[in-house]
Amino acid sequence: MPSTSSFATEPIVTPRLDELDRLTKIARMMDSQYKIAGIRFGWDTILGLVPGVGDTLTMAPSLYILAKARKMGASNRLLAQMLGNIGIDWIIGWIPLLGDLLDVGFKANRRNVELLHGMHGLPSPFRETADQ
């Protein structure tokens, strides 16, 4: 027998554009806020220069993005992929000097936010433009 409830049903997972926008801003700040000589970098790279603790400190925003992805309904497979990106970023950062150079190119936070946008069928928020 059909339900006569007056409550509207909503999809289990709905894109929360405000939350995606907030996560995009965090990823941009951590991975590509600054540009020098055509190379984009962010606080992840800057803090990663501090031996030992810098790369571990930068995991906090990365894990925040991961936690939000979980709350938004990301699958276990997607969460594992995102966690893998965080792990690679962290391990790369432990390699003295070379790790800092590689970290500029890896951009785990941006990768993870792009995965989250893709989960919702949205395009990448990181299309490079002349003013970025």
Side-chain angles (χ1 to χ4, degrees), residues 48-52 55 90-102:
L49 293 171
V50 179
D55 291 296
W90 185 69
I91 290 169
I92 285 173
W94 278 88
I95 304 168
L97 192 56
L98 178 62
D100 297 314
L101 295 173
L102 293 173

Side-chain angles (χ1 to χ4, degrees), residues 31-45:
D31 291 344
S32 59
Q33 183 172 358
Y34 306 107
K35 184 177 182 181
I36 296 177
I39 298 171
R40 291 204 160 278
F41 62 96
W43 284 102
D44 186 289
T45 302

Side-chain angles (χ1 to χ4, degrees), residues 3 17 33 36-37 46 58 62 64 66 69-70 82 107:
S3 172
L17 296 179
Q33 183 172 358
I36 296 177
I46 295 167
T58 62
S62 299
Y64 175 79
L66 183 73
R70 184 173 180 264
M82 293 173 76
K107 301 183 185 330

Side-chain angles (χ1 to χ4, degrees), residues 49-132:
L49 293 171
V50 179
V53 297
D55 291 296
T56 301
L57 288 174
T58 62
M59 284 182 63
S62 299
L63 294 174
Y64 175 79
I65 292 170
L66 183 73
K68 288 296 183 176
R70 184 173 180 264
K71 285 186 179 183
M72 295 174 105
S75 68
N76 287 339
R77 181 178 178 168
L78 185 65
L79 293 172
Q81 188 175 358
M82 293 173 76
L83 190 57
N85 287 337
I86 294 168
I88 290 168
D89 186 51
W90 185 69
I91 290 169
I92 285 173
W94 278 88
I95 304 168
L97 192 56
L98 178 62
D100 297 314
L101 295 173
L102 293 173
D103 192 42
V104 169
F106 190 70
K107 301 183 185 330
N109 296 300
R110 285 176 57 134
R111 288 173 186 254
N112 288 344
V113 169
E114 285 179 333
L115 288 171
L116 197 50
H117 274 75
M119 177 184 96
H120 291 296
L122 299 170
S124 170
F126 300 111
R127 292 196 185 126
E128 298 297 325
T129 62
D131 61 329
Q132 275 191 328

Side-chain angles (χ1 to χ4, degrees), residues 2-11:
S3 172
T4 58
S5 172
S6 62
F7 294 104
T9 59
E10 294 183 25

